[in-house]
């Protein structure tokens, strides 16, 4: 989470329980309380299948820290510089440089197990010679070619992204432009590897053997560095997972990172609801909820279509009160004690103000 107090701008990764592929997913943002405590949890933003997520800083300072709870932080070898990225900062590499992460048991894929490796990449025009292959990311060891990795090939006119496994390259005929950011991903289901560029599958899945050993992950180079197979370009938002991410997942990542403003829309601002004593109240017209809240009681009347009501009593912050009405008659809940609460610590969201 980053926040700019000068203009009120906030940037945050938000984890939601599920994201529908057929309907918009609505999330709510409560704001305006300068006394509220920060409850953000960066490591838990990423699901347990992520081995590592590297943002590379904010564009002014390079960072190689892993954002997941695995703490798979990178070590810089050679000249790796900070640059402006697709999302925040990026890492700028030379052919002799890399960011190395020890391949421990901290959540990395094992031999012949499902995996996904992905990164945003920017290849400057003129940085590659015709017929050259450079590696964006790899894991395993260069000994006896026991490694796998994402690579880029330059044919003299266009670049092509490919996968390399056990010394064999699996190229695609899909052309990509230089001087532009591309999201490149390779998924492995235990039998076949599938490549994706900018959220779309390229080529056909290829059967491979993940003949890797636990050694290192190299970002920006091949794992036998200093073999000088490294890229001359930029990486941003590098991620490794221990599952075969779906095509929908990768397409969604591309859509929400390549053009965020087109991925989401903002609804109307609702009335403020929350702590502050008995005067905290929202009144939504029609058949929508009426909510009043103070430090000792909570009353909610709502008319929706469902079955039973459920609520929690004797809560101590920070916890979330969830009440859902599933009947045709209005629901009234009263005398819900909130123990040890500060009035300014409690907020209640009535989604009726946005229509349901």
């Amino acid at each position: 989470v980053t926040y700019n107090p000068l203009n009120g701008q906030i940037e945050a990764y938000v984890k939601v329980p599920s994201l529908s592929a057929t309907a918009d997913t609505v999330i709510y943002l409560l704001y305006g309380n300068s006394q509220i405590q920060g409850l953000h949890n960066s490591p838990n933003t990423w699901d347990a299948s992520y081995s590592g997520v590297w943002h590379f800083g904010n564009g002014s300072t390079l960072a190689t820290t892993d954002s997941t709870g695995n703490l798979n932080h990178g070590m810089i070898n050679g000249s790796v510089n900070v640059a402006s990225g697709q999302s925040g900062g990026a890492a700028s590499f030379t052919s002799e440089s890399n960011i190395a992460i020890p391949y421990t048991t901290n959540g990395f894929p094992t031999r012949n197990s499902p995996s996904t490796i992905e990164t945003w990449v920017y290849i400057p025009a003129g940085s590659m010679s015709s017929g050259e292959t450079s590696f964006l990311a790899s894991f395993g060891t260069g000994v006896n070619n026991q490694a796998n990795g994402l690579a880029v090939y330059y044919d003299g006119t266009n670049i092509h992204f490919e996968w390399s496994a056990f010394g064999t390259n699996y190229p695609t005929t899909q052309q990509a432009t230089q001087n532009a950011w591309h999201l490149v991903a390779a998924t492995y289901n235990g039998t076949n590897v599938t490549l994706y560029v900018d959220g779309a599958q390229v080529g056909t899945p290829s059967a491979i053997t993940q003949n890797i050993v636990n050694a290192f992950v190299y970002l920006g180079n091949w794992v036998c560095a200093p073999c000088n197979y490294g890229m001359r370009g930029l990486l941003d938002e590098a991620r490794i997972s221990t599952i075969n991410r779906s095509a929908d997942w990768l397409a969604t990542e591309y859509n929400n990172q390549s053009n965020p403003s087109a991925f989401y829309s903002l609804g109307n601002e609702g009335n403020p609801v929350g702590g502050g004593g008995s005067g905290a109240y929202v009144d939504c017209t029609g058949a929508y909820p009426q909510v009043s809240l103070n430090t000792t009681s909570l009353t909610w009347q709502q008319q929706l279509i469902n079955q039973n009501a459920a609520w929690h009593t004797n809560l101590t912050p920070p916890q979330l009160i969830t009440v859902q009405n599933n009947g045709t008659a209005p629901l009234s809940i009263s005398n819900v004690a909130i123990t040890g609460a500060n009035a300014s610590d409690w907020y209640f969201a009535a989604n009726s103000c946005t229509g349901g």
Side-chain angles (χ1 to χ4, degrees):
V1 177
T2 60
Y3 174 69
N4 185 340
L6 298 179
N7 58 14
Q9 183 182 38
I10 185 172
E11 295 182 2
Y13 288 88
V14 179
K15 183 179 182 179
V16 296
S18 62
L19 192 65
S20 172
T22 58
D24 290 340
T25 299
V26 180
I27 60 176
Y28 297 91
L29 174 67
L30 302 178
Y31 56 92
N33 181 4
S34 60
Q35 303 301 317
I36 197 168
Q37 298 178 356
L39 300 176
H40 64 278
N41 190 330
S42 297
N44 285 338
T45 302
W46 311 99
D47 69 42
S49 298
Y50 276 109
S51 307
V53 175
W54 299 273
H55 303 304
F56 302 123
N58 57 12
S60 58
T61 302
L62 179 65
T64 61
T65 52
D66 171 22
S67 291
T68 74
N70 294 317
L71 305 180
N72 288 316
H73 306 317
M75 302 175 294
I76 296 176
N77 296 309
S79 177
V80 182
N81 298 308
V82 65
S84 178
Q86 171 65 26
S87 176
S92 177
F93 295 84
T94 66
S95 61
E96 295 84 15
S97 63
N98 65 78
I99 296 175
I101 302 104
Y103 204 107
T104 66
T105 58
N106 290 340
F108 281 114
T110 56
R111 182 171 180 171
N112 287 329
S113 64
S115 63
T116 299
I117 184 169
E118 55 185 304
T119 184
W120 283 89
V121 57
Y122 183 100
I123 302 297
S127 64
M128 298 184 69
S129 302
S130 180
E132 180 182 355
T133 297
S134 299
F135 284 87
L136 315 177
S138 57
F139 53 91
T141 175
V143 178
N144 297 323
N145 290 319
Q146 295 182 105
N148 301 269
L150 279 173
V152 57
Y153 170 77
Y154 181 55
D155 64 9
T157 304
N158 298 290
I159 56 176
H160 307 260
F161 296 105
E162 59 187 26
W163 181 253
S164 179
F166 200 53
T168 301
N169 291 344
Y170 299 86
T172 66
T173 58
Q174 177 77 25
Q175 298 176 350
T177 57
Q178 300 176 84
N179 291 334
W181 282 101
H182 299 283
L183 179 60
V184 185
T187 64
Y188 181 62
N189 63 5
T191 302
N192 296 314
V193 64
T194 306
L195 285 173
Y196 296 83
V197 176
D198 295 337
Q201 180 180 327
V202 294
T204 57
S206 301
I208 67 167
T209 298
Q210 292 268 47
N211 193 26
I212 60 174
V213 297
N214 294 350
F216 278 90
V217 173
Y218 277 177
L219 302 177
N221 211 322
W222 182 240
V223 290
C224 64
C227 297
N228 299 335
Y229 291 141
M231 62 175 292
R232 292 182 292 276
L234 284 67
L235 295 182
D236 192 12
E237 289 298 318
R239 304 175 182 183
I240 297 177
S241 304
T242 55
I243 62 173
N244 174 31
R245 299 287 182 185
S246 69
D248 285 343
W249 181 285
L250 296 172
T252 300
E253 283 190 320
Y254 174 74
N255 290 334
N256 67 24
Q257 294 174 37
S258 63
N259 192 358
S261 61
F263 183 76
Y264 69 89
S265 61
L266 295 176
N268 294 328
E269 186 180 46
N271 294 325
V273 185
S278 59
Y281 181 77
V282 61
D283 184 2
C284 301
T285 60
Y288 297 128
Q290 293 183 342
V291 182
S292 62
L293 175 67
N294 57 39
T295 56
T296 58
S297 66
L298 170 67
T299 301
W300 184 10
Q301 293 181 324
Q302 183 179 23
Q303 206 164 11
L304 289 175
I305 300 175
N306 275 324
Q307 279 192 10
N308 297 315
W311 61 93
H312 301 280
T313 61
N314 299 324
L315 295 175
T316 300
Q319 294 189 46
L320 175 66
I321 296 178
T322 301
V323 184
Q324 184 173 8
N325 178 20
N326 283 320
T328 57
L331 169 66
S332 178
I333 300 175
S334 59
N335 299 323
V336 178
I338 304 176
T339 61
N342 184 310
S344 63
D345 291 337
W346 287 93
Y347 280 81
F348 191 86
N351 63 1
S352 63
C353 292
T354 57

